[in-house]
Short mmCIF file of all heavy atoms in Angstrom, two decimals:
data_model
loop_
_atom_site.label_atom_id
_atom_site.label_comp_id
_atom_site.label_asym_id
_atom_site.label_seq_id
_atom_site.Cartn_x
_atom_site.Cartn_y
_atom_site.Cartn_z
N LEU X 85 -78.67 12.77 32.08
CA LEU X 85 -78.07 13.00 30.77
C LEU X 85 -78.78 14.07 29.99
O LEU X 85 -78.17 14.95 29.43
CB LEU X 85 -78.05 11.68 30.00
CG LEU X 85 -77.38 11.68 28.64
CD1 LEU X 85 -75.90 12.01 28.75
CD2 LEU X 85 -77.58 10.35 27.97
N SER X 86 -80.10 14.05 30.02
CA SER X 86 -80.85 15.04 29.23
C SER X 86 -80.70 16.45 29.81
O SER X 86 -80.68 17.44 29.06
CB SER X 86 -82.33 14.70 29.15
OG SER X 86 -82.92 14.66 30.40
N LYS X 87 -80.57 16.56 31.11
CA LYS X 87 -80.36 17.89 31.73
C LYS X 87 -78.99 18.45 31.34
O LYS X 87 -78.87 19.62 31.03
CB LYS X 87 -80.48 17.82 33.24
CG LYS X 87 -81.85 17.63 33.75
CD LYS X 87 -81.91 17.58 35.26
CE LYS X 87 -83.30 17.32 35.77
NZ LYS X 87 -83.37 17.27 37.23
N VAL X 88 -77.99 17.60 31.35
CA VAL X 88 -76.65 18.03 30.95
C VAL X 88 -76.63 18.43 29.49
O VAL X 88 -76.08 19.44 29.10
CB VAL X 88 -75.61 16.92 31.23
CG1 VAL X 88 -74.24 17.33 30.68
CG2 VAL X 88 -75.54 16.61 32.71
N PHE X 89 -77.28 17.62 28.64
CA PHE X 89 -77.33 17.94 27.21
C PHE X 89 -78.00 19.27 26.98
O PHE X 89 -77.56 20.11 26.22
CB PHE X 89 -78.06 16.82 26.42
CG PHE X 89 -78.29 17.20 25.00
CD1 PHE X 89 -77.22 17.10 24.11
CD2 PHE X 89 -79.48 17.62 24.56
CE1 PHE X 89 -77.39 17.46 22.77
CE2 PHE X 89 -79.67 17.97 23.21
CZ PHE X 89 -78.62 17.87 22.34
N LYS X 90 -79.12 19.48 27.64
CA LYS X 90 -79.86 20.74 27.48
C LYS X 90 -79.01 21.93 27.92
O LYS X 90 -78.91 22.92 27.20
CB LYS X 90 -81.16 20.72 28.31
CG LYS X 90 -81.98 21.97 28.17
CD LYS X 90 -83.26 21.89 28.98
CE LYS X 90 -83.99 23.21 28.78
NZ LYS X 90 -85.05 23.44 29.73
N TYR X 91 -78.33 21.79 29.03
CA TYR X 91 -77.45 22.84 29.53
C TYR X 91 -76.32 23.15 28.53
O TYR X 91 -76.07 24.30 28.19
CB TYR X 91 -76.87 22.46 30.87
CG TYR X 91 -75.90 23.42 31.45
CD1 TYR X 91 -76.37 24.63 32.06
CD2 TYR X 91 -74.54 23.23 31.39
CE1 TYR X 91 -75.46 25.54 32.55
CE2 TYR X 91 -73.65 24.13 31.91
CZ TYR X 91 -74.13 25.31 32.49
OH TYR X 91 -73.26 26.22 33.02
N LEU X 92 -75.67 22.10 28.02
CA LEU X 92 -74.58 22.29 27.09
C LEU X 92 -75.08 22.86 25.75
O LEU X 92 -74.49 23.78 25.21
CB LEU X 92 -73.88 20.93 26.78
CG LEU X 92 -72.90 20.46 27.82
CD1 LEU X 92 -72.38 19.08 27.45
CD2 LEU X 92 -71.74 21.43 27.96
N SER X 93 -76.18 22.29 25.24
CA SER X 93 -76.64 22.73 23.93
C SER X 93 -77.11 24.19 23.95
O SER X 93 -77.03 24.87 22.93
CB SER X 93 -77.71 21.80 23.41
OG SER X 93 -78.85 21.81 24.24
N GLU X 94 -77.58 24.65 25.08
CA GLU X 94 -78.01 26.04 25.18
C GLU X 94 -76.80 26.99 25.34
O GLU X 94 -76.88 28.12 24.91
CB GLU X 94 -78.93 26.22 26.38
CG GLU X 94 -80.33 25.62 26.17
CD GLU X 94 -81.20 25.67 27.40
OE1 GLU X 94 -80.73 26.13 28.47
OE2 GLU X 94 -82.36 25.29 27.29
N GLY X 95 -75.72 26.48 25.91
CA GLY X 95 -74.58 27.33 26.19
C GLY X 95 -73.47 27.25 25.15
O GLY X 95 -72.51 28.03 25.20
N ILE X 96 -73.62 26.42 24.16
CA ILE X 96 -72.58 26.25 23.14
C ILE X 96 -73.13 26.62 21.77
O ILE X 96 -74.24 26.21 21.41
CB ILE X 96 -72.08 24.78 23.11
CG1 ILE X 96 -71.35 24.46 24.41
CG2 ILE X 96 -71.18 24.51 21.92
CD1 ILE X 96 -70.90 23.00 24.54
N ASP X 97 -72.36 27.36 21.06
CA ASP X 97 -72.75 27.69 19.68
C ASP X 97 -72.50 26.49 18.79
O ASP X 97 -71.40 26.16 18.39
CB ASP X 97 -71.89 28.88 19.17
CG ASP X 97 -72.19 29.25 17.72
OD1 ASP X 97 -73.16 28.69 17.15
OD2 ASP X 97 -71.47 30.08 17.16
N GLN X 98 -73.57 25.77 18.47
CA GLN X 98 -73.48 24.52 17.74
C GLN X 98 -73.25 24.77 16.23
O GLN X 98 -73.11 23.83 15.48
CB GLN X 98 -74.70 23.66 18.00
CG GLN X 98 -74.73 23.18 19.43
CD GLN X 98 -75.81 22.18 19.68
OE1 GLN X 98 -76.05 21.30 18.81
NE2 GLN X 98 -76.44 22.24 20.80
N GLU X 99 -73.24 26.02 15.84
CA GLU X 99 -72.93 26.35 14.44
C GLU X 99 -71.48 26.67 14.24
O GLU X 99 -71.04 27.05 13.18
CB GLU X 99 -73.78 27.52 13.99
CG GLU X 99 -75.28 27.25 14.02
CD GLU X 99 -75.68 26.02 13.17
OE1 GLU X 99 -75.19 25.89 12.05
OE2 GLU X 99 -76.46 25.20 13.67
N SER X 100 -70.69 26.53 15.30
CA SER X 100 -69.23 26.74 15.18
C SER X 100 -68.50 25.41 15.30
O SER X 100 -69.00 24.45 15.87
CB SER X 100 -68.75 27.65 16.33
OG SER X 100 -68.76 26.98 17.57
N ALA X 101 -67.30 25.40 14.72
CA ALA X 101 -66.50 24.18 14.78
C ALA X 101 -66.16 23.85 16.21
O ALA X 101 -66.22 22.68 16.60
CB ALA X 101 -65.22 24.39 13.94
N LEU X 102 -65.83 24.83 17.00
CA LEU X 102 -65.48 24.57 18.41
C LEU X 102 -66.71 24.02 19.15
O LEU X 102 -66.56 23.09 19.94
CB LEU X 102 -64.98 25.84 19.09
CG LEU X 102 -64.60 25.70 20.56
CD1 LEU X 102 -63.50 24.63 20.74
CD2 LEU X 102 -64.16 27.03 21.14
N GLY X 103 -67.85 24.55 18.91
CA GLY X 103 -69.07 24.05 19.52
C GLY X 103 -69.31 22.58 19.18
O GLY X 103 -69.67 21.78 20.02
N GLN X 104 -69.14 22.25 17.91
CA GLN X 104 -69.30 20.86 17.47
C GLN X 104 -68.28 19.96 18.13
O GLN X 104 -68.61 18.85 18.56
CB GLN X 104 -69.23 20.77 15.96
CG GLN X 104 -70.43 21.32 15.25
CD GLN X 104 -71.69 20.53 15.55
OE1 GLN X 104 -71.68 19.30 15.58
NE2 GLN X 104 -72.79 21.26 15.78
N TYR X 105 -67.06 20.43 18.25
CA TYR X 105 -66.01 19.63 18.90
C TYR X 105 -66.36 19.38 20.38
O TYR X 105 -66.21 18.25 20.85
CB TYR X 105 -64.67 20.37 18.76
CG TYR X 105 -63.58 19.68 19.54
CD1 TYR X 105 -63.00 18.53 19.11
CD2 TYR X 105 -63.10 20.25 20.73
CE1 TYR X 105 -61.99 17.89 19.82
CE2 TYR X 105 -62.11 19.63 21.44
CZ TYR X 105 -61.55 18.46 20.97
OH TYR X 105 -60.57 17.83 21.69
N LEU X 106 -66.82 20.43 21.03
CA LEU X 106 -67.20 20.27 22.46
C LEU X 106 -68.37 19.30 22.62
O LEU X 106 -68.37 18.47 23.53
CB LEU X 106 -67.52 21.61 23.07
CG LEU X 106 -66.38 22.58 23.20
CD1 LEU X 106 -66.85 23.96 23.63
CD2 LEU X 106 -65.30 22.05 24.13
N MET X 107 -69.35 19.41 21.74
CA MET X 107 -70.48 18.49 21.79
C MET X 107 -70.03 17.04 21.49
O MET X 107 -70.49 16.08 22.12
CB MET X 107 -71.58 18.89 20.79
CG MET X 107 -72.28 20.17 21.15
SD MET X 107 -73.05 20.17 22.81
CE MET X 107 -74.22 18.83 22.69
N ALA X 108 -69.09 16.89 20.59
CA ALA X 108 -68.54 15.55 20.29
C ALA X 108 -67.93 14.93 21.55
O ALA X 108 -68.12 13.75 21.82
CB ALA X 108 -67.50 15.63 19.17
N GLY X 109 -67.23 15.76 22.33
CA GLY X 109 -66.65 15.25 23.57
C GLY X 109 -67.72 14.79 24.53
O GLY X 109 -67.59 13.73 25.18
N PHE X 110 -68.76 15.57 24.64
CA PHE X 110 -69.88 15.20 25.51
C PHE X 110 -70.52 13.90 25.01
O PHE X 110 -70.77 12.98 25.80
CB PHE X 110 -70.96 16.31 25.55
CG PHE X 110 -72.26 15.86 26.12
CD1 PHE X 110 -72.38 15.69 27.51
CD2 PHE X 110 -73.34 15.61 25.32
CE1 PHE X 110 -73.58 15.26 28.07
CE2 PHE X 110 -74.54 15.17 25.88
CZ PHE X 110 -74.67 15.00 27.25
N TYR X 111 -70.79 13.82 23.73
CA TYR X 111 -71.37 12.60 23.19
C TYR X 111 -70.50 11.38 23.41
O TYR X 111 -70.98 10.29 23.79
CB TYR X 111 -71.64 12.75 21.68
CG TYR X 111 -72.73 13.75 21.32
CD1 TYR X 111 -72.55 14.62 20.26
CD2 TYR X 111 -73.94 13.77 22.01
CE1 TYR X 111 -73.56 15.51 19.90
CE2 TYR X 111 -74.92 14.64 21.64
CZ TYR X 111 -74.75 15.53 20.61
OH TYR X 111 -75.72 16.40 20.25
N GLU X 112 -69.20 11.53 23.20
CA GLU X 112 -68.30 10.40 23.37
C GLU X 112 -68.30 9.94 24.85
O GLU X 112 -68.35 8.75 25.11
CB GLU X 112 -66.89 10.76 22.91
CG GLU X 112 -65.94 9.57 22.97
CD GLU X 112 -64.56 9.87 22.44
OE1 GLU X 112 -64.25 11.05 22.19
OE2 GLU X 112 -63.76 8.92 22.33
N GLU X 113 -68.21 10.88 25.75
CA GLU X 113 -68.24 10.54 27.18
C GLU X 113 -69.55 9.84 27.55
O GLU X 113 -69.56 9.01 28.46
CB GLU X 113 -68.06 11.80 28.03
CG GLU X 113 -66.67 12.34 28.03
CD GLU X 113 -65.70 11.45 28.76
OE1 GLU X 113 -66.06 10.96 29.89
OE2 GLU X 113 -64.60 11.24 28.28
N SER X 114 -70.60 10.18 26.85
CA SER X 114 -71.91 9.57 27.14
C SER X 114 -72.16 8.32 26.34
O SER X 114 -73.27 7.77 26.32
CB SER X 114 -73.03 10.60 26.80
OG SER X 114 -72.84 11.78 27.58
N LYS X 115 -71.11 7.87 25.63
CA LYS X 115 -71.19 6.62 24.81
C LYS X 115 -72.16 6.74 23.63
O LYS X 115 -72.68 5.77 23.16
CB LYS X 115 -71.56 5.41 25.66
CG LYS X 115 -70.68 5.18 26.88
CD LYS X 115 -69.28 4.90 26.53
CE LYS X 115 -68.49 4.56 27.78
NZ LYS X 115 -67.16 5.07 27.77
N LEU X 116 -72.36 7.95 23.19
CA LEU X 116 -73.21 8.22 22.01
C LEU X 116 -72.25 8.43 20.82
O LEU X 116 -72.06 9.50 20.30
CB LEU X 116 -74.09 9.46 22.23
CG LEU X 116 -75.01 9.39 23.41
CD1 LEU X 116 -75.66 10.73 23.71
CD2 LEU X 116 -76.07 8.32 23.18
N ILE X 117 -71.65 7.31 20.40
CA ILE X 117 -70.56 7.33 19.44
C ILE X 117 -70.97 7.90 18.10
O ILE X 117 -70.24 8.67 17.48
CB ILE X 117 -69.92 5.94 19.33
CG1 ILE X 117 -69.40 5.47 20.72
CG2 ILE X 117 -68.75 5.93 18.34
CD1 ILE X 117 -68.44 6.38 21.41
N LEU X 118 -72.12 7.51 17.58
CA LEU X 118 -72.54 8.03 16.28
C LEU X 118 -72.73 9.53 16.30
O LEU X 118 -72.33 10.26 15.39
CB LEU X 118 -73.84 7.33 15.83
CG LEU X 118 -74.35 7.69 14.45
CD1 LEU X 118 -73.27 7.44 13.40
CD2 LEU X 118 -75.59 6.92 14.13
N ASP X 119 -73.34 10.02 17.41
CA ASP X 119 -73.50 11.47 17.52
C ASP X 119 -72.15 12.16 17.60
O ASP X 119 -71.95 13.24 17.03
CB ASP X 119 -74.35 11.82 18.76
CG ASP X 119 -75.79 11.40 18.59
OD1 ASP X 119 -76.34 11.57 17.49
OD2 ASP X 119 -76.38 10.88 19.56
N ALA X 120 -71.23 11.57 18.34
CA ALA X 120 -69.88 12.12 18.46
C ALA X 120 -69.21 12.14 17.10
O ALA X 120 -68.58 13.15 16.72
CB ALA X 120 -69.06 11.31 19.46
N LEU X 121 -69.34 11.07 16.36
CA LEU X 121 -68.74 11.00 15.03
C LEU X 121 -69.31 12.09 14.12
O LEU X 121 -68.54 12.82 13.47
CB LEU X 121 -69.03 9.63 14.43
CG LEU X 121 -68.51 9.39 13.01
CD1 LEU X 121 -66.99 9.31 12.99
CD2 LEU X 121 -69.13 8.09 12.45
N ASN X 122 -70.60 12.29 14.13
CA ASN X 122 -71.24 13.31 13.33
C ASN X 122 -70.75 14.71 13.74
O ASN X 122 -70.48 15.56 12.87
CB ASN X 122 -72.74 13.24 13.42
CG ASN X 122 -73.30 12.01 12.71
OD1 ASN X 122 -72.72 11.53 11.76
ND2 ASN X 122 -74.43 11.55 13.16
N SER X 123 -70.62 14.95 15.02
CA SER X 123 -70.17 16.27 15.48
C SER X 123 -68.68 16.50 15.11
O SER X 123 -68.32 17.64 14.74
CB SER X 123 -70.36 16.41 16.99
OG SER X 123 -71.70 16.57 17.28
N MET X 124 -67.89 15.48 15.22
CA MET X 124 -66.47 15.64 14.81
C MET X 124 -66.38 15.95 13.33
O MET X 124 -65.62 16.84 12.94
CB MET X 124 -65.68 14.36 15.14
CG MET X 124 -65.46 14.09 16.58
SD MET X 124 -64.42 15.31 17.41
CE MET X 124 -62.84 14.90 16.73
N GLN X 125 -67.15 15.28 12.51
CA GLN X 125 -67.14 15.52 11.07
C GLN X 125 -67.66 16.93 10.76
O GLN X 125 -67.11 17.62 9.88
CB GLN X 125 -67.97 14.48 10.38
CG GLN X 125 -67.33 13.11 10.37
CD GLN X 125 -68.22 12.01 9.84
OE1 GLN X 125 -69.45 12.14 9.80
NE2 GLN X 125 -67.61 10.89 9.49
N LYS X 126 -68.66 17.37 11.50
CA LYS X 126 -69.19 18.73 11.28
C LYS X 126 -68.17 19.78 11.66
O LYS X 126 -68.03 20.78 10.97
CB LYS X 126 -70.48 18.89 12.09
CG LYS X 126 -71.16 20.22 11.92
CD LYS X 126 -71.88 20.31 10.61
CE LYS X 126 -72.69 21.58 10.59
NZ LYS X 126 -73.34 21.82 9.34
N ALA X 127 -67.41 19.53 12.73
CA ALA X 127 -66.36 20.49 13.12
C ALA X 127 -65.34 20.63 12.01
O ALA X 127 -64.93 21.76 11.69
CB ALA X 127 -65.69 20.00 14.42
N ILE X 128 -64.97 19.53 11.36
CA ILE X 128 -64.02 19.59 10.26
C ILE X 128 -64.61 20.32 9.09
O ILE X 128 -63.92 21.11 8.41
CB ILE X 128 -63.52 18.17 9.91
CG1 ILE X 128 -62.73 17.58 11.05
CG2 ILE X 128 -62.74 18.20 8.62
CD1 ILE X 128 -62.45 16.11 10.90
N GLU X 129 -65.87 20.07 8.79
CA GLU X 129 -66.57 20.77 7.69
C GLU X 129 -66.57 22.28 7.92
O GLU X 129 -66.37 23.07 6.98
CB GLU X 129 -68.02 20.32 7.59
CG GLU X 129 -68.25 19.05 6.85
CD GLU X 129 -69.74 18.72 6.86
OE1 GLU X 129 -70.60 19.63 6.80
OE2 GLU X 129 -70.06 17.52 6.95
N LEU X 130 -66.81 22.69 9.15
CA LEU X 130 -66.93 24.08 9.48
C LEU X 130 -65.57 24.80 9.49
O LEU X 130 -65.50 26.02 9.26
CB LEU X 130 -67.64 24.30 10.82
CG LEU X 130 -69.10 23.94 10.85
CD1 LEU X 130 -69.62 23.88 12.29
CD2 LEU X 130 -69.92 24.92 10.02
N ALA X 131 -64.51 24.07 9.77
CA ALA X 131 -63.18 24.69 9.85
C ALA X 131 -62.12 23.74 9.29
O ALA X 131 -61.28 23.23 10.02
CB ALA X 131 -62.87 25.07 11.28
N PRO X 132 -62.19 23.49 7.97
CA PRO X 132 -61.24 22.55 7.38
C PRO X 132 -59.78 22.99 7.47
O PRO X 132 -58.86 22.15 7.38
CB PRO X 132 -61.69 22.47 5.92
CG PRO X 132 -62.46 23.69 5.67
CD PRO X 132 -63.06 24.09 7.00
N GLU X 133 -59.56 24.27 7.69
CA GLU X 133 -58.19 24.78 7.77
C GLU X 133 -57.57 24.57 9.15
O GLU X 133 -56.35 24.78 9.32
CB GLU X 133 -58.19 26.29 7.44
CG GLU X 133 -58.79 27.22 8.49
CD GLU X 133 -60.33 27.24 8.52
OE1 GLU X 133 -61.02 26.56 7.72
OE2 GLU X 133 -60.86 27.92 9.40
N VAL X 134 -58.34 24.11 10.10
CA VAL X 134 -57.82 23.89 11.47
C VAL X 134 -57.42 22.45 11.61
O VAL X 134 -58.25 21.54 11.72
CB VAL X 134 -58.89 24.30 12.54
CG1 VAL X 134 -58.33 24.05 13.94
CG2 VAL X 134 -59.31 25.73 12.33
N ASP X 135 -56.13 22.22 11.61
CA ASP X 135 -55.58 20.86 11.68
C ASP X 135 -55.95 20.13 12.96
O ASP X 135 -56.06 18.92 13.01
CB ASP X 135 -54.06 20.87 11.55
CG ASP X 135 -53.62 21.30 10.14
OD1 ASP X 135 -54.39 21.15 9.19
OD2 ASP X 135 -52.48 21.82 10.05
N PHE X 136 -56.15 20.89 14.04
CA PHE X 136 -56.48 20.29 15.32
C PHE X 136 -57.71 19.37 15.23
O PHE X 136 -57.70 18.29 15.77
CB PHE X 136 -56.73 21.41 16.35
CG PHE X 136 -57.19 20.89 17.69
CD1 PHE X 136 -56.32 20.32 18.59
CD2 PHE X 136 -58.54 20.97 18.01
CE1 PHE X 136 -56.78 19.83 19.80
CE2 PHE X 136 -59.01 20.51 19.23
CZ PHE X 136 -58.12 19.94 20.15
N PHE X 137 -58.74 19.84 14.54
CA PHE X 137 -59.97 19.04 14.46
C PHE X 137 -59.74 17.76 13.68
O PHE X 137 -60.28 16.72 14.06
CB PHE X 137 -61.11 19.87 13.84
CG PHE X 137 -61.50 21.06 14.64
CD1 PHE X 137 -61.55 22.31 14.09
CD2 PHE X 137 -61.86 20.92 15.98
CE1 PHE X 137 -61.91 23.40 14.84
CE2 PHE X 137 -62.22 22.01 16.77
CZ PHE X 137 -62.26 23.27 16.18
N THR X 138 -58.94 17.83 12.65
CA THR X 138 -58.65 16.63 11.87
C THR X 138 -57.85 15.62 12.69
O THR X 138 -58.11 14.42 12.66
CB THR X 138 -57.84 16.97 10.60
OG1 THR X 138 -58.65 17.91 9.82
CG2 THR X 138 -57.58 15.76 9.74
N GLU X 139 -56.87 16.13 13.45
CA GLU X 139 -56.08 15.23 14.31
C GLU X 139 -56.92 14.62 15.40
O GLU X 139 -56.81 13.43 15.70
CB GLU X 139 -54.89 15.99 14.92
CG GLU X 139 -53.82 16.36 13.93
CD GLU X 139 -53.24 15.17 13.23
OE1 GLU X 139 -52.91 14.17 13.89
OE2 GLU X 139 -53.13 15.21 11.98
N GLU X 140 -57.80 15.40 16.01
CA GLU X 140 -58.69 14.88 17.02
C GLU X 140 -59.67 13.86 16.45
O GLU X 140 -60.01 12.88 17.13
CB GLU X 140 -59.45 16.01 17.69
CG GLU X 140 -58.60 16.81 18.66
CD GLU X 140 -58.10 15.95 19.81
OE1 GLU X 140 -58.90 15.38 20.56
OE2 GLU X 140 -56.86 15.83 19.94
N TYR X 141 -60.10 14.07 15.22
CA TYR X 141 -60.95 13.11 14.54
C TYR X 141 -60.25 11.76 14.41
O TYR X 141 -60.81 10.71 14.67
CB TYR X 141 -61.40 13.67 13.22
CG TYR X 141 -62.30 12.77 12.39
CD1 TYR X 141 -63.59 12.50 12.79
CD2 TYR X 141 -61.85 12.16 11.23
CE1 TYR X 141 -64.45 11.69 12.09
CE2 TYR X 141 -62.69 11.33 10.49
CZ TYR X 141 -63.98 11.11 10.92
OH TYR X 141 -64.78 10.26 10.20
N LYS X 142 -59.00 11.80 13.98
CA LYS X 142 -58.21 10.58 13.79
C LYS X 142 -58.08 9.89 15.15
O LYS X 142 -58.19 8.64 15.25
CB LYS X 142 -56.84 10.89 13.24
CG LYS X 142 -56.89 11.32 11.79
CD LYS X 142 -55.50 11.74 11.32
CE LYS X 142 -55.54 12.33 9.93
NZ LYS X 142 -54.20 12.84 9.51
N ASN X 143 -57.78 10.66 16.20
CA ASN X 143 -57.65 10.08 17.54
C ASN X 143 -58.97 9.48 18.02
O ASN X 143 -59.02 8.43 18.63
CB ASN X 143 -57.19 11.13 18.55
CG ASN X 143 -55.76 11.56 18.31
OD1 ASN X 143 -54.96 10.81 17.76
ND2 ASN X 143 -55.46 12.80 18.68
N PHE X 144 -60.06 10.14 17.71
CA PHE X 144 -61.41 9.64 18.06
C PHE X 144 -61.65 8.29 17.37
O PHE X 144 -62.13 7.37 18.03
CB PHE X 144 -62.47 10.67 17.60
CG PHE X 144 -63.85 10.15 17.65
CD1 PHE X 144 -64.58 10.14 18.83
CD2 PHE X 144 -64.49 9.69 16.50
CE1 PHE X 144 -65.86 9.63 18.86
CE2 PHE X 144 -65.79 9.21 16.54
CZ PHE X 144 -66.48 9.17 17.72
N LEU X 145 -61.32 8.18 16.11
CA LEU X 145 -61.52 6.94 15.36
C LEU X 145 -60.72 5.83 15.99
O LEU X 145 -61.21 4.68 16.16
CB LEU X 145 -61.14 7.12 13.89
CG LEU X 145 -62.05 8.02 13.10
CD1 LEU X 145 -61.46 8.17 11.68
CD2 LEU X 145 -63.47 7.55 13.03
N LEU X 146 -59.47 6.13 16.39
CA LEU X 146 -58.61 5.11 17.00
C LEU X 146 -59.17 4.68 18.37
O LEU X 146 -59.22 3.50 18.68
CB LEU X 146 -57.17 5.64 17.16
CG LEU X 146 -56.38 5.75 15.86
CD1 LEU X 146 -55.06 6.47 16.14
CD2 LEU X 146 -56.11 4.40 15.27
N ARG X 147 -59.54 5.68 19.19
CA ARG X 147 -60.06 5.38 20.53
C ARG X 147 -61.26 4.49 20.49
O ARG X 147 -61.48 3.65 21.35
CB ARG X 147 -60.45 6.69 21.25
CG ARG X 147 -59.42 7.36 21.99
CD ARG X 147 -60.00 8.42 22.92
NE ARG X 147 -60.93 9.34 22.33
CZ ARG X 147 -60.60 10.44 21.65
NH1 ARG X 147 -59.36 10.74 21.44
NH2 ARG X 147 -61.56 11.21 21.17
N ASN X 148 -62.08 4.68 19.48
CA ASN X 148 -63.36 3.96 19.37
C ASN X 148 -63.29 2.80 18.35
O ASN X 148 -64.33 2.27 17.98
CB ASN X 148 -64.46 4.95 19.02
CG ASN X 148 -64.72 5.87 20.21
OD1 ASN X 148 -65.34 5.47 21.19
ND2 ASN X 148 -64.24 7.10 20.11
N GLN X 149 -62.10 2.49 17.94
CA GLN X 149 -61.84 1.38 17.02
C GLN X 149 -62.72 1.46 15.79
O GLN X 149 -63.33 0.49 15.35
CB GLN X 149 -62.06 0.02 17.75
CG GLN X 149 -61.14 -0.11 18.93
CD GLN X 149 -61.41 -1.33 19.74
OE1 GLN X 149 -62.37 -2.05 19.56
NE2 GLN X 149 -60.53 -1.60 20.72
N LEU X 150 -62.77 2.66 15.20
CA LEU X 150 -63.56 2.91 13.99
C LEU X 150 -62.70 3.09 12.76
O LEU X 150 -63.19 3.46 11.73
CB LEU X 150 -64.43 4.13 14.20
CG LEU X 150 -65.44 4.05 15.33
CD1 LEU X 150 -66.13 5.38 15.53
CD2 LEU X 150 -66.47 2.95 15.04
N ASN X 151 -61.43 2.84 12.91
CA ASN X 151 -60.52 3.08 11.74
C ASN X 151 -60.45 1.88 10.83
O ASN X 151 -60.71 0.81 11.10
CB ASN X 151 -59.13 3.45 12.23
CG ASN X 151 -58.55 2.48 13.24
OD1 ASN X 151 -59.26 1.65 13.75
ND2 ASN X 151 -57.28 2.58 13.49
#
C-alpha cells in the first residue's frame, strides 16, 4: 500500500482538483474512507464550478453510507 501511495502521490498533482479526485479513488479502494472524504471535499473546493466532482461526492457518500 505504501509503495502504491508513494508512486501515485509523486505522479499526481495534488494541488489540482483532478489530482485530489484521483487520490480519493485510491483512498476509497484502500478503505481509507476519511482520507477519501477529505480528498473529495478538496476537489470540490479547488473546482466548485465542475459539477462532476459534486456528483461524484454525492455518489461517494451513498456508496459509503455517509449520507
Side-chain angles (χ1 to χ4, degrees):
L85 183 62
S86 63
K87 287 181 183 180
V88 174
F89 174 77
K90 182 180 178 193
Y91 177 77
L92 282 176
S93 63
E94 288 175 355
I96 292 175
D97 177 8
Q98 293 188 38
E99 298 303 315
S100 73
L102 180 58
Q104 287 296 317
Y105 174 74
L106 294 173
M107 291 305 298
F110 166 75
Y111 291 137
E112 185 177 8
E113 286 290 316
S114 301
K115 308 294 186 218
L116 301 169
I117 302 305
L118 184 57
D119 290 321
L121 178 69
N122 290 332
S123 287
M124 291 294 289
Q125 290 171 340
K126 182 75 172 177
I128 293 169
E129 279 179 35
L130 291 168
E133 72 283 358
V134 180
D135 293 334
F136 174 78
F137 296 127
T138 302
E139 290 301 313
E140 285 298 300
Y141 179 70
K142 291 175 187 175
N143 292 333
F144 168 81
L145 293 176
L146 288 172
R147 273 194 311 277
N148 292 284
Q149 301 174 353
L150 299 173
N151 53 346

